[in-house]
Amino acid sequence: MRLIPVAAALALGLSAPTLVSATETPAPTQANATAAPSAADLLFEQPQMKNAAPGSTITYDYLRRSGIAKGPFGAPLQDTVTIKVEPGKQPDGRNMDVAMFSGLNRRPAGPFEDMVGNPIVPLFLENHVMALSKVLEANPRYLKLAIRKGMREKATVTPVKIPFDGKQVDAYRIEMQPFLGDPMGERMRGLENLTYTFVTSPSVPGEIVSMEAVSKTKDGGELLEEKLGYDQKAG
């Protein structure tokens, strides 16, 4: 079974309609009292595509904006990522063609063959890290390693309920701040408080409900807001 290991995933050349946002996720419930799986397991080791029907298309709405003067992250970007799903060789495997953004914003992605994991996770993180490294003039490998370490050592995983397909379904909310306390944190130009939030659910095709990276100043100013969410209407 072909999974995406954490190390390999992070090394990959990685208001919207009906957007299920991680920030709108309800508070934890008592429905899931058992121990939660790890962040790495939920994001990289699960056969996430097993519930994505061959012949279907998964659509994610994407938004990136920043209030930093002179716009180092570029103009606000609101676009979509689509994944066309076809059968793979193994039962849970899928062949996937990914259209990451449109027009002049298009990014290379895939194709992905006989993969059981959802490529949207490494694609989102790779795109995020490349933009962040450019703004900070930092080594992207250092940022990737910090995020990987944060998933392993700093992430909290909380069972929650989310609205999907007209009902409440079980999900997990993953949250971490990988750069807090980092030895190079003073070089993050205020972005050391970047908070990463992921929501996953086995009830949603591809299991990835939303992902976001957000950083604000102490007075609430927006340094970076980058988010991606499953579009139920498109699905």
Side-chain angles (χ1 to χ4, degrees):
M1 181 174 290
R2 187 181 176 193
L3 302 177
I4 312 176
V6 177
L10 290 177
L12 283 177
L14 337 98
S15 41
T18 323
L19 178 65
V20 184
S21 170
T23 57
E24 297 171 354
T25 303
T29 70
Q30 299 299 317
N32 296 322
T34 57
S38 70
D41 180 51
L42 288 169
L43 294 174
F44 298 112
E45 304 297 340
Q46 290 294 318
Q48 297 153 331
M49 299 306 296
K50 67 181 183 300
N51 65 354
S56 66
T57 298
I58 299 174
T59 300
Y60 296 98
D61 295 295
Y62 175 88
L63 172 69
R64 185 181 69 200
R65 61 189 181 188
S66 171
I68 300 176
K70 299 182 179 180
F73 284 100
L77 173 59
Q78 187 167 1
D79 213 320
T80 60
V81 182
T82 60
I83 302 177
K84 293 184 178 179
V85 183
E86 297 297 340
K89 294 180 180 179
Q90 53 186 316
D92 291 340
R94 301 290 184 265
N95 295 338
M96 291 170 277
D97 285 322
V98 179
M100 190 163 183
F101 310 145
S102 59
L104 296 177
N105 297 320
R106 191 73 172 262
R107 303 282 192 276
F112 300 91
E113 296 183 357
D114 202 32
M115 180 178 285
V116 299
N118 192 335
I120 196 62
V121 179
L123 288 172
F124 175 85
L125 289 173
E126 181 71 14
N127 184 66
H128 167 75
V129 165
M130 289 301 103
L132 189 62
S133 66
K134 183 178 179 181
V135 169
L136 298 177
E137 298 180 346
N139 186 330
R141 185 172 183 273
Y142 184 90
L143 299 176
K144 291 176 186 179
L145 290 173
I147 292 173
R148 190 200 315 173
K149 183 178 180 181
M151 284 194 182
R152 187 174 62 247
E153 299 179 2
K154 298 182 178 181
T156 60
V157 180
T158 308
V160 295
K161 291 280 190 179
I162 62 167
F164 177 72
D165 198 22
K167 56 184 180 293
Q168 295 289 310
V169 300
D170 291 333
Y172 285 107
R173 177 187 175 100
I174 302 158
E175 190 170 51
M176 66 172 181
Q177 292 182 299
F179 300 109
L180 283 184
D182 187 278
M184 304 298 287
E186 72 279 0
R187 299 179 61 180
M188 292 289 293
R189 303 181 186 180
L191 292 164
E192 65 273 7
N193 68 352
L194 262 168
T195 301
Y196 296 81
T197 307
F198 308 83
V199 177
T200 72
S201 173
S203 297
V204 176
E207 297 198 8
I208 301 302
V209 181
S210 62
M211 298 184 284
E212 63 179 49
V214 174
S215 177
K216 295 182 181 295
T217 63
K218 291 182 179 179
D219 60 1
E222 184 179 84
L223 297 176
L224 176 64
E225 179 183 27
E226 185 172 13
K227 58 176 62 178
L228 177 146
Y230 178 85
D231 187 346
Q232 294 192 48
K233 287 184 178 179

